[in-house]
């Protein structure tokens, strides 16, 4: 499966040349925009961290063109890795595997594991293919975290990247490729296959049930002691104004209690009735999980730009399909509180 609009070959060519020269290129994937650098170039990878303002000991995902690259970047990958790659690559799934010597410390944050993902977006695939061709190495790959400043909302359009990181000389990125809005909209599911049993490090569009059905065993959430993963910090995916997540039925009372405070509200259409003028922006929460995921970060960006002092969001429905959206909203809501690291 590939996704996204047709690529612009001239833009891809410019991007590959910049990447081969150690530059940073923001590119669309089906999940969110990534901030890419040559995965073999430790200095370029460190430049990603500097551009994002992200701590250097966080690992970054290595994006590969196809599953044949698993053997180059990981060593001793279990059967489950091949099964999952076969079932879901290219697609929104990241596998954490024991690293090979090629996966250097700047990629892994000094850990013994490496995160690998093969993206499905047409532009990402074209970029990876052209980059590998230019490097003359089919295993050449791109290190890429989401293309946002550390702790800020992930970008699902090129405009989001432009507004946050920006292009040089004023901004921090050499080139921002515009391949349209990301069709999945939230980051990949991450499965850790380095331990005795597989664990889910991050919820995404590939559900726990799909992963479990493919490898034939339970895949519980990772608990304490899990590998460092910046997406696991609670204070992530955060708008600037404090975001409060509450049951839809509690919204009217909460809005009344906050009269006099400029509010932005994200709630199902039915809950968006007659509200006081203190509500400066009301956005309709999509009714199905895939649409909600696709639009989530654009909605958070809009809420953020509304000038509201506080954001109220209705809690989404329960159930497996909603796990990833619920997880991102809870993290956005937790931003005003101390996170897992107590910072
Ligand atoms: O959908 C995605 O995964 C997007 C697109 C651009 O591919 N990328 C993304 O990257 O979300 P980032 O860096 O924002 O989040 C990657 C997550 C982080 O939480 C990171 O710590 C974790 O993956 N990760 C990467 N390598 C890891 C490893 N070796 N062990 C544990 N976690 C790892
Ligand atoms: Mg991120």
């Amino acid at each position: 499966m590939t996704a996204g609009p047709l690529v612009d070959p001239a833009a891809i060519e410019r991007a590959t040349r910049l990447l081969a020269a150690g530059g940073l290129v923001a590119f669309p994937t089906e999940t969110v925009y990534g901030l890419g650098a040559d995965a073999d170039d430790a200095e370029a990878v460190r430049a990603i961290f500097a551009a994002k303002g992200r701590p250097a000991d966080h690992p970054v995902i290595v994006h590969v063109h196809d599953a044949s690259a698993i053997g180059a970047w990981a060593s001793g990958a279990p059967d489950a890795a091949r099964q999952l790659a076969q079932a879901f690559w290219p697609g929104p799934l990241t596998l954490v595997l024991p690293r090979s010597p090629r996966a250097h410390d700047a990629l892994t944050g000094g850990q013994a594991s490496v995160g690998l993902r093969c993206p499905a977006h047409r532009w990402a695939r074209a970029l990876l293919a052209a980059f590998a061709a230019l490097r003359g190495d089919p295993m050449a790959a791109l290190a890429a975290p989401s293309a946002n400043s550390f702790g800020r909302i992930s970008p699902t359009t090129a405009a989001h990247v432009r507004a946050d990181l920006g292009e040089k000389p004023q901004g921090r990125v050499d080139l921002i490729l515009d391949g349209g809005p990301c069709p999945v909209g939230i980051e990949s599911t991450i499965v850790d296959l380095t331990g005795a049993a597989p664990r889910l490090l991050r919820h995404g569009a590939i559900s726990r049930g799909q992963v479990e059905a493919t490898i034939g065993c339970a895949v519980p959430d990772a608990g304490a002691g899990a590998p460092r993963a910046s997406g696991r910090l609670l204070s992530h995916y955060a708008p600037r104004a404090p975001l409060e997540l509450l049951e839809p039925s509690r919204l009217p009372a909460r809005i009344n209690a906050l009269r006099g405070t400029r509010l932005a509200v994200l709630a199902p259409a039915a809950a968006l009735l007659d509200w006081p003028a203190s509500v400066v922006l009301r956005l309709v929460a999509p009714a199905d999980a895939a649409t909600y995921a696709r639009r989530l970060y654009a909605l958070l960006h809009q809420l953020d730009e509304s000038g509201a002092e506080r954001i109220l969001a209705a809690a989404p429905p329960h159930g497996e399909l909603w796990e990833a959206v619920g997880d991102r909203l809870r993290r956005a809501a937790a931003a005003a509180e101390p996170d897992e690291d107590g910072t």
Side-chain angles (χ1 to χ4, degrees):
M1 178 203 81
T2 51
L6 292 181
V7 300
D8 170 358
I12 295 290
E13 202 208 308
R14 213 181 130 214
T16 54
R17 273 189 276 108
L18 286 165
L19 288 164
L24 302 184
V25 172
F27 64 97
T29 81
E30 71 277 29
T31 58
V32 301
Y33 273 69
L35 180 57
D38 181 348
D40 284 307
D41 184 340
E43 204 180 314
V45 174
R46 280 192 285 271
I48 297 178
F49 288 76
K52 279 179 66 91
R54 180 187 193 178
D57 63 347
H58 284 223
V60 56
I61 295 174
V62 175
H63 294 69
V64 298
H65 185 264
D66 56 63
S68 68
I70 291 178
W73 295 95
S75 63
D79 286 346
R82 319 253 164 214
Q83 289 163 352
L84 289 169
Q86 167 110 45
F88 302 113
W89 281 6
L93 176 72
T94 296
L95 301 175
V96 173
L97 299 168
R99 71 167 165 182
S100 75
R102 185 166 178 171
H104 50 86
D105 282 349
L107 294 173
T108 67
Q111 301 180 82
S113 61
V114 63
L116 298 182
R117 168 160 126 76
C118 171
H121 195 283
R122 267 205 190 88
W123 282 67
R125 301 199 55 67
L127 184 64
L128 284 164
F131 178 65
L134 185 71
R135 285 269 324 267
D137 176 359
M139 304 296 145
L142 295 177
S146 50
N148 53 283
S149 306
F150 184 65
R152 307 287 312 141
I153 303 168
S154 297
T156 53
T157 65
H160 290 157
V161 185
R162 218 163 273 132
D164 178 358
L165 300 175
E167 264 179 16
K168 288 175 184 169
Q170 292 85 8
R172 291 178 248 167
V173 180
D174 290 290
L175 177 66
I176 300 171
L177 292 175
D178 186 349
C182 301
V184 172
I186 53 173
E187 301 84 347
S188 58
T189 304
I190 305 182
V191 178
D192 176 14
L193 294 172
T194 60
R199 296 178 304 170
L200 200 58
L201 293 188
R202 183 171 71 185
H203 292 273
I206 307 291
S207 69
R208 186 202 310 277
Q210 287 175 288
V211 173
E212 291 180 337
T214 303
I215 60 178
C217 67
V219 183
D221 281 340
R228 274 190 303 277
S230 54
R232 292 173 53 74
L233 298 181
L234 275 180
S235 68
H236 233 66
Y237 317 106
R240 288 182 192 86
L243 182 148
E244 206 175 310
L245 197 59
L246 65 181
E247 288 308 317
S249 61
R250 290 187 46 224
L251 272 174
R254 189 71 184 123
I255 288 168
N256 261 325
L258 289 168
R259 250 173 221 279
T261 303
R262 283 197 317 282
L263 299 176
V265 179
L266 172 61
L272 292 170
L273 297 175
D274 237 5
W275 286 348
S278 57
V279 178
V280 296
L281 178 69
R282 323 166 173 203
L283 295 178
V284 176
D288 80 280
T291 308
Y292 204 141
R294 186 168 70 245
R295 298 199 43 223
L296 175 63
Y297 289 132
L299 289 166
L300 291 180
H301 279 280
Q302 264 181 283
L303 293 165
D304 212 12
E305 287 151 16
S306 66
E309 295 162 90
R310 298 180 75 102
I311 298 168
L312 302 183
H318 298 282
E320 174 167 296
L321 288 177
W322 288 95
E323 268 184 308
V325 165
D327 168 77
R328 300 306 189 282
L329 282 171
R330 279 191 298 279
R331 287 172 197 276
E337 299 159 19
D339 66 24
E340 282 171 358
D341 289 350
T343 54

